[in-house]
Amino acid sequence: MLKYTLRRVVSGTLVLGIVSAIVFAIFYILPSDPARLACGKSCTPELVARIQVALELDQSLPVQYGRFIKGIFVGRTYLENTDAARECGAPCLGYSYQTDLPVTELLVDRLPATLSIAVGASILWLLIGLSSGILSALRRGTWIDRTSQGFALAAASLQIYFVGLILQFIFVDKLAWLPMPGYTSPFDYPLDWAKQMVLPWVTLAFLLSAIYSRLTRSGMIETMGEDFVRTARAKGLSSRDINLKHVLRAAMTPIVTVFGLDLGSLLGGAVITEYVFNIPGLGKLSTEAVTNLDLPVVTGTVLFAAFFIITANIVVDLLYSALDPKVRLT
Amino acid sequence: MTSVNNPILSVQGLTKHFPGGREGLIGKRDVVQAVDGVNFEVAAGEALGLVGESGCGKSTTGRLITRLLEPTAGTVTFEGQDISHFSNAQMRPIRTQLQMIFQDPYASLNPRHTVGTIVSTPFKINKVTPEGGVKKRVQEILEIVGLNPEHYNRYPHEFSGGQRQRIGIARALALRPKLIVADEPVSALDVSIQAQIINLMKDLQKDFGLTFVFIAHDLAVVRHFAQRVAVMYLGNIVEIADRDTLYATPKHPYTKALLSAVPEADPDATGARERIRLTGDVPNPINPPSGCRFRTRCWKAAEICAIEPPALLQIGKTQVACHFPE
Amino acid sequence: MSAFLEVKNLSVAFPTEDGIVQAVDSLSFSVEKGKTLGIVGESGSGKSVTSLAILGLQKGSKARVSGEIWVDGNEIISASEAEVRKLRGKAMSMIFQDALAALHPYYTVGHQIAEAYLVHNDVSKKVAATRAIEMLDRVGIPEPHKRVNDYPHQFSGGMRQRAMIAMALSCNPSLLIADEPTTALDVTVQAQILELLRDLQKEFGTAIILITHDLGVVAETADDVLLMYAGKQIEYGTVRDVLQVPQHPYAWGLLTSIPRLTGDPNLALTAIQGAPPSLISVPSGCAFHPRCTYVDNVGTACTNIIPELIPVSEGKHHSVRCHMSAKVRQDIFANKVEPQL
């Protein structure tokens, strides 16, 4: 188990290295010139050349990449030996000249908002999705099942920007029950934080709970047909015990897997949700960086998202082996 | 080893090891010794039965003979040609001579193809055009195996299990092969259907002079089909003899136990027979017992059995691999 | 005294899109304590549906069950789910063909046996766990105190079936239904399991219903046999009677078509023509008539009228569903069938 975890961490790190190399290479090949972008309006070819040297863009790709990786571990100083030297402490993921801040600082600054959305929404969608899925499976064919699955189908076909904007129009603009969504620290103003988060949570949970409801329902129904459920009935177990201990227990495994991966990718930035509700999270940061061609930030957000997804994958696989004794991790 | 006259198929030292799981981070990979040093020959026109319990390697042997698998060691000689390591291209002309029938008539037929397509596939793959055209020939074959030739355009799901197995047999017969390897051809069928298929295959063997390697776990079924029988246990052949000798005077303790375990549909016969009950299960082929692989379940086992693997030796009309044959 | 299990006119039907499927049709039989009834039939004959009906497992499904099933004085079909639940596992229990699928993959074998014991016994989990070890020991699992913590996939096929038996017998039920308990096993392991069942039956006086397609297994273990075809019982009697002087052409067909270890292996097997019917379109009259060699002896009755289940001779516990007269059957059996057996 420990060996397995270790091996997965090593291989995960390797994957991160490869992702960073690819991202790096793409930006290197990209026609846009960072030096030109940094140069401003009153730009001369000489100035561009000087900036290129200052930004170390005159170096070869491997050298630049090597320095970047080294910076992650020991930090580095940008524009060294100039009067505009910028310190970037480890773990340094680059320096954004557009905002004049180290990328790591930007990411750490934006993480709490994304974390708030992801955790809150995931609790909500699990609650709604699982309970409606279980109820549908147990009352298969009744009006409860048909209503909840019809709802789920509708919800799954809607889009965040559509649902989000409509909810915002109703609850913020018309009824004024909620403030404009945004982010305030839950440690300073917990009530404001919650009020501002309600709409992003509900919108995101609305769509995902539909998927989880359908997943739970089909998983439960499939499991109900298994031989071991018949065995449980033949033993004389109550239907409550059969449904909870035997059916749900077996149906949960794939749901846990999907949940881990969903949460992982969400932590890398709930791009559309943050954009729609104008919440300063990682997703918003990456869209901003892409529009402004702030390449160091783009690189940083991509790596950060990759990190979460890879971690989620490892956690899911470990969880899977804990849930299913047939899975032996070697 | 005694050899049969005019062997169409000869198997020498045939071995197949499958990679198993790995121990630890960089540990050695386990090796599943599915088939380990098997020797036998099949004469043209005979039916050799290959019997044994699950995990004995009989199906793997069948797949090695038809070269659906490549042997780890040893040779498969078909009509004088060593085909052990033939490439797919080299196998192509051989495959017209060497066909296989599978156990599961539900899984081995493509549900999206019509019977006509299924049975004519061998012609297309091997680029053979029979006299009178493919369709005519396919309809002839369908008739031979007892199906209505007008069912050419129907799909497998429209047929019962027994009829599907007939389709499988028709496909195997299409190119008029010399040798057919039948892997548990009747074990998935209802009791009342099994006899139909056994009779059909027996007729085909007679009418076309086919050679069969008949793989089954059911000793009674093998007795009604094969003229010679090889008993396998954990990757080895433990006994080969002609049918009458093997069933009347089994020499290997395992053969004896296997025969006595078959339940007979006659309440009187059941009481009269000597009963040998083996204890335990077949050991894991990853780590088979040393020496004689059967010794862990054998009531005759002595010290030598753990040390020395017994060789397959001729005793009377039987070849048997046992230190203490009956 | 009435038998421990008494089934009267049991019918089970399932409404489907293609119409009503009559899976079991007016079945009647009984089993005493300490005795074994073999129910024999091919796929779709209704033998498994019968076993589920006895346990009342079709309650809450779309199945329409009618007739009477008396288990130790309790009627199952009219009883509520809660009443039947008290009997399941305690008065009657069941083992299945595929033990790997029938055991929960995520719980240890010991947990599943203890769970069965806990349902009907008000004891601590520790006592139930001890009971699980005891039962595993009883069914012949080596090192039961260790293996009790294994998961089903860590057991071999034979050991899994032993564990199923341990679970089914944990509350000392008086009726055990074994649905093809050895079909998935090798012959040497099958022999072990059948012997275990016989031993346990002797020890506890359990009534056993053994569902199988294998006449050999029936001959070795059962006292009575009930032969089913397309949902109906077509022959019923003692093992000796049904296997040695069978009366129904289907029984003749089965007995002459199975390959045996005795007799001349060079003679062709006498196969039954055709295939078992689908329950959606059961042939009219006697369901076996399209496959029967002897239809000509009777005339149109076979194709039009469903034959009654009648005793072979007055007062005998051997009955058959066939239009042929006793005399005709006797002649055919003596001249055509018996020489092949």
Side-chain angles (χ1 to χ4, degrees):
Chain A
M1 188 74 174
L2 191 73
K3 270 183 187 167
Y4 174 82
T5 316
L6 222 78
R7 209 176 59 215
R8 285 299 301 272
V9 169
V10 170
S11 70
T13 316
L14 222 71
V15 172
L16 268 181
I18 294 168
V19 170
S20 64
I22 292 171
V23 173
F24 222 83
I26 289 173
F27 292 154
Y28 189 81
I29 301 162
L30 226 57
S32 78
D33 183 353
R36 242 241 65 102
L37 284 168
C39 184
K41 276 180 190 151
S42 55
C43 199
T44 60
E46 291 78 33
L47 201 56
V48 171
R50 273 177 55 201
I51 292 171
Q52 265 181 341
V53 175
L55 293 182
E56 301 172 355
L57 293 174
D58 54 336
Q59 304 287 337
S60 71
L61 180 68
V63 171
Q64 286 188 48
Y65 182 65
R67 287 184 183 163
F68 175 74
I69 294 297
K70 194 179 159 206
I72 294 176
F73 292 100
V74 297
R76 65 194 282 201
T77 311
Y78 284 89
L79 307 180
E80 219 172 352
N81 307 325
T82 66
D83 47 357
R86 297 287 193 276
E87 271 305 318
C88 178
C92 174
L93 291 170
Y95 197 88
S96 161
Y97 294 103
Q98 291 187 13
T99 55
D100 202 3
L101 282 168
V103 173
T104 313
E105 207 169 295
L106 278 168
L107 291 174
V108 170
D109 197 42
R110 300 293 189 99
L111 184 61
T114 297
L115 213 60
S116 297
I117 296 178
V119 173
S122 62
I123 291 172
L124 204 60
W125 91 58
L126 272 185
L127 277 177
I128 301 170
L130 289 188
S131 52
S132 72
I134 292 170
L135 204 67
S136 280
L138 294 183
R139 302 269 177 277
R140 179 150 55 126
T142 64
W143 65 269
I144 300 178
D145 178 25
R146 260 168 286 165
T147 316
S148 96
Q149 291 313 303
F151 198 69
L153 183 66
S157 356
L158 291 173
Q159 295 294 330
I160 294 178
Y161 42 82
F162 179 71
V163 178
L165 289 177
I166 287 193
L167 289 179
Q168 187 169 330
F169 177 72
I170 297 171
F171 292 101
V172 180
D173 299 345
K174 285 288 157 198
L175 297 171
W177 290 356
L178 292 168
M180 259 327 247
Y183 178 76
T184 42
S185 168
F187 302 106
D188 301 339
Y189 309 98
L191 201 67
D192 287 349
W193 169 78
K195 275 186 181 166
Q196 287 189 306
M197 279 293 157
V198 166
L199 278 187
W201 286 343
V202 170
T203 311
L204 206 54
F206 182 69
L207 304 179
L208 278 158
S209 63
I211 294 166
Y212 280 73
S213 174
R214 281 148 57 97
L215 210 61
T216 310
R217 179 181 182 272
S218 63
M220 291 268 294
I221 287 172
E222 200 189 309
T223 314
M224 283 173 184
E226 296 280 354
D227 284 3
F228 59 78
V229 174
R230 188 183 56 188
T231 309
R233 292 189 67 203
K235 283 196 223 180
L237 289 182
S238 67
S239 50
R240 207 188 93 103
D241 277 357
I242 292 169
N243 288 329
L244 288 181
K245 291 187 189 158
H246 289 251
V247 179
L248 191 59
R249 173 71 179 79
M252 270 323 283
T253 315
I255 296 170
V256 168
T257 310
V258 178
F259 176 69
L261 299 178
D262 276 349
L263 189 63
S265 62
L266 207 55
L267 284 176
V271 179
I272 299 175
T273 314
E274 288 171 18
Y275 193 81
V276 167
F277 293 112
N278 201 20
I279 290 170
L282 291 167
K284 189 86 193 314
L285 179 67
S286 62
T287 45
E288 285 164 5
V290 169
T291 349
N292 298 336
L293 276 175
D294 193 349
L295 295 188
V297 177
V298 175
T299 314
T301 50
V302 168
L303 280 180
F304 215 49
F307 167 77
F308 279 121
I309 288 168
I310 288 166
T311 311
N313 261 300
I314 298 174
V315 171
V316 159
D317 285 350
L318 291 175
L319 259 177
Y320 209 97
S321 83
L323 285 172
D324 185 348
K326 270 188 292 184
V327 177
R328 231 181 84 223
L329 301 176
T330 49
Chain B
M1 150 159 203
T2 51
S3 49
V4 297
N5 294 327
N6 181 25
I8 186 170
L9 176 80
S10 167
V11 164
Q12 295 298 328
L14 191 65
T15 300
K16 180 70 188 178
H17 291 176
F18 292 105
R22 202 189 288 274
E23 286 289 327
L25 199 58
I26 42 168
K28 248 175 72 181
R29 236 176 209 295
D30 288 334
V31 171
V32 181
Q33 305 180 16
V35 174
D36 208 39
V38 159
N39 300 314
F40 63 84
E41 289 182 331
V42 187
E46 81 164 335
L48 173 76
L50 220 50
V51 282
E53 297 180 284
S54 50
C56 73
K58 55 189 191 301
S59 286
T60 307
T61 305
R63 276 154 207 264
L64 288 168
I65 297 169
T66 44
R67 277 304 320 282
L68 298 177
L69 289 172
E70 190 170 349
T72 311
T75 56
V76 177
T77 311
F78 179 72
E79 292 208 293
Q81 257 182 309
D82 179 358
I83 60 167
S84 323
H85 303 286
F86 266 23
S87 67
N88 270 338
Q90 283 172 302
M91 272 310 287
R92 191 157 294 156
I94 308 285
R95 288 215 199 283
T96 64
Q97 306 292 312
L98 188 54
Q99 287 287 321
M100 191 147 183
I101 299 170
F102 297 94
Q103 169 178 2
D104 191 345
Y106 296 85
S108 58
L109 302 177
N110 187 333
R112 284 182 192 80
H113 288 171
T114 62
V115 171
T117 314
I118 290 169
V119 180
S120 59
T121 304
F123 294 113
K124 276 175 208 137
I125 291 177
N126 294 289
K127 302 190 180 72
V128 178
T129 315
E131 235 174 284
V134 173
K135 183 167 180 180
K136 184 163 167 278
R137 175 83 186 113
V138 168
Q139 288 184 328
E140 274 170 31
I141 300 165
L142 288 179
E143 197 150 13
I144 289 170
V145 299
L147 291 169
N148 187 342
E150 285 164 25
H151 292 170
Y152 188 87
N153 284 320
R154 295 210 180 166
Y155 289 88
H157 70 88
E158 297 175 62
F159 294 88
S160 68
Q163 287 173 311
R164 272 183 247 207
Q165 197 54 291
R166 287 176 196 268
I167 299 171
I169 293 172
R171 174 174 60 186
L173 278 182
L175 297 169
R176 293 189 188 277
K178 290 186 176 142
L179 175 70
I180 291 184
V181 175
D183 187 0
E184 298 273 13
V186 299
S187 59
L189 303 176
D190 269 321
V191 191
S192 71
I193 308 296
Q194 290 193 355
Q196 296 174 6
I197 300 297
I198 294 172
N199 286 344
L200 168 67
M201 296 206 310
K202 257 184 140 170
D203 290 345
L204 293 174
Q205 191 199 359
K206 230 177 285 162
D207 296 349
F208 298 98
L210 287 170
T211 310
F212 268 95
V213 173
F214 187 91
I215 299 167
H217 69 279
D218 188 328
L219 285 149
V221 168
V222 170
R223 180 169 174 269
H224 277 266
F225 190 78
Q227 286 101 43
R228 222 151 50 87
V229 180
V231 181
M232 289 188 75
Y233 185 80
L234 217 53
N236 296 149
I237 287 185
V238 296
E239 182 165 1
I240 310 187
D242 66 273
R243 176 185 58 203
D244 296 341
T245 311
L246 188 117
Y247 283 86
T249 54
K251 291 265 187 291
H252 198 285
Y254 178 62
T255 314
K256 216 176 157 191
L258 209 53
L259 279 168
S260 89
V262 178
E264 281 270 41
D266 183 347
D268 288 336
T270 305
R273 269 190 313 159
E274 185 192 355
R275 216 182 271 273
I276 300 165
R277 287 287 176 265
L278 292 182
T279 50
D281 295 295
V282 181
N284 192 335
I286 289 175
N287 200 0
S290 65
C292 172
R293 292 183 172 187
F294 182 58
R295 68 176 165 84
T296 50
R297 300 173 78 196
C298 185
W299 64 97
K300 286 184 156 187
E303 213 170 314
I304 184 170
C305 303
I307 302 163
E308 179 99 7
L312 195 65
L313 297 175
Q314 189 81 31
I315 298 177
K317 288 161 91 179
T318 306
Q319 285 181 287
V320 60
C322 178
H323 291 301
F324 306 101
E326 298 282 314
Chain C
M1 203 200 102
S2 63
F4 181 78
L5 171 74
E6 183 112 36
V7 173
K8 289 178 193 165
N9 274 320
L10 172 67
S11 294
V12 183
F14 299 95
T16 70
E17 283 171 18
D18 301 317
I20 287 178
V21 168
Q22 191 70 45
V24 173
D25 194 0
S26 47
L27 209 59
S28 298
F29 59 85
S30 62
V31 191
E32 314 266 358
K33 273 194 182 174
K35 296 285 180 192
T36 302
L37 168 73
I39 300 185
V40 180
E42 298 179 277
S43 48
S45 63
K47 52 194 199 302
S48 292
V49 175
T50 306
S51 62
L52 297 180
I54 297 172
L55 282 183
L57 286 179
Q58 281 127 350
K59 284 183 192 298
S61 77
K62 286 196 179 112
R64 294 181 201 158
V65 187
S66 65
E68 292 168 44
I69 298 171
W70 292 90
V71 178
D72 203 12
N74 303 285
E75 208 288 303
I76 301 292
I77 295 172
S78 60
S80 70
E81 165 72 18
E83 285 165 337
V84 179
R85 217 183 71 215
K86 284 185 199 139
L87 298 174
R88 284 187 206 130
K90 191 173 169 66
M92 52 186 182
S93 59
M94 187 159 177
I95 57 177
F96 302 94
Q97 171 178 349
D98 185 354
L100 182 61
L103 290 167
H104 201 294
Y106 297 169
Y107 293 114
T108 62
V109 169
H111 175 98
Q112 297 187 54
I113 298 172
E115 187 182 43
Y117 190 62
L118 278 170
V119 182
H120 301 291
N121 295 278
D122 193 13
V123 295
S124 69
K125 283 199 170 157
K126 224 181 139 195
V127 173
T130 316
R131 174 74 177 166
I133 298 175
E134 194 184 302
M135 286 310 296
L136 284 179
D137 190 33
R138 180 63 198 86
V139 298
I141 303 277
E143 298 185 276
H145 52 284
K146 273 190 202 153
R147 304 310 297 261
V148 75
N149 294 320
D150 277 2
Y151 289 94
H153 71 273
Q154 293 168 306
F155 272 29
S156 70
M159 278 166 53
R160 274 196 288 269
Q161 199 52 279
R162 284 171 193 271
M164 275 297 299
I165 295 171
M167 188 166 83
L169 297 184
S170 63
C171 298
N172 289 325
S174 305
L175 172 67
L176 176 70
I177 302 174
D179 189 354
E180 303 264 12
T182 58
T183 306
L185 303 175
D186 284 320
V187 274
T188 59
V189 180
Q190 163 171 287
Q192 294 169 12
I193 296 291
L194 293 179
E195 194 156 87
L196 174 67
L197 282 176
R198 271 196 300 266
D199 286 352
L200 292 168
Q201 182 175 41
K202 242 181 248 162
E203 194 177 326
F204 299 106
T206 324
I208 295 180
I209 293 181
L210 182 77
I211 293 168
T212 180
H213 66 277
D214 189 332
L215 290 167
V217 170
V218 163
E220 286 211 350
T221 35
D223 301 291
D224 283 353
V225 188
L226 184 122
L227 192 57
M228 289 187 75
Y229 190 81
K232 286 194 182 61
Q233 88 194 85
I234 56 164
E235 190 160 349
Y236 179 37
T238 64
V239 164
R240 203 160 287 271
D241 283 344
V242 175
L243 295 188
Q244 290 183 338
V245 278
Q247 296 294 316
H248 198 282
Y250 177 60
W252 299 339
L254 280 184
L255 282 162
T256 53
S257 71
I258 49 169
R260 293 170 186 258
L261 289 179
T262 50
D264 185 356
N266 293 315
L267 289 177
L269 299 163
T270 315
I272 307 177
Q273 57 182 337
S278 136
L279 286 176
I280 292 170
S281 54
V282 177
S284 62
C286 171
F288 187 64
H289 84 258
R291 303 177 74 191
C292 186
T293 327
Y294 306 105
V295 183
D296 296 341
N297 292 330
V298 177
T300 55
C302 291
T303 50
N304 298 330
I305 306 163
I306 298 174
E308 294 291 322
L309 187 72
I310 45 164
V312 171
S313 58
E314 203 63 41
K316 206 164 181 235
H317 167 48
H318 184 185
S319 47
V320 65
R321 228 184 244 282
C322 179
H323 284 304
M324 282 190 284
S325 69
K327 173 87 183 61
V328 173
R329 281 201 310 266
Q330 213 166 25
D331 286 350
I332 295 175
F333 178 72
N335 297 323
K336 293 197 176 145
V337 183
E338 203 166 19
Q340 291 187 54
L341 291 180

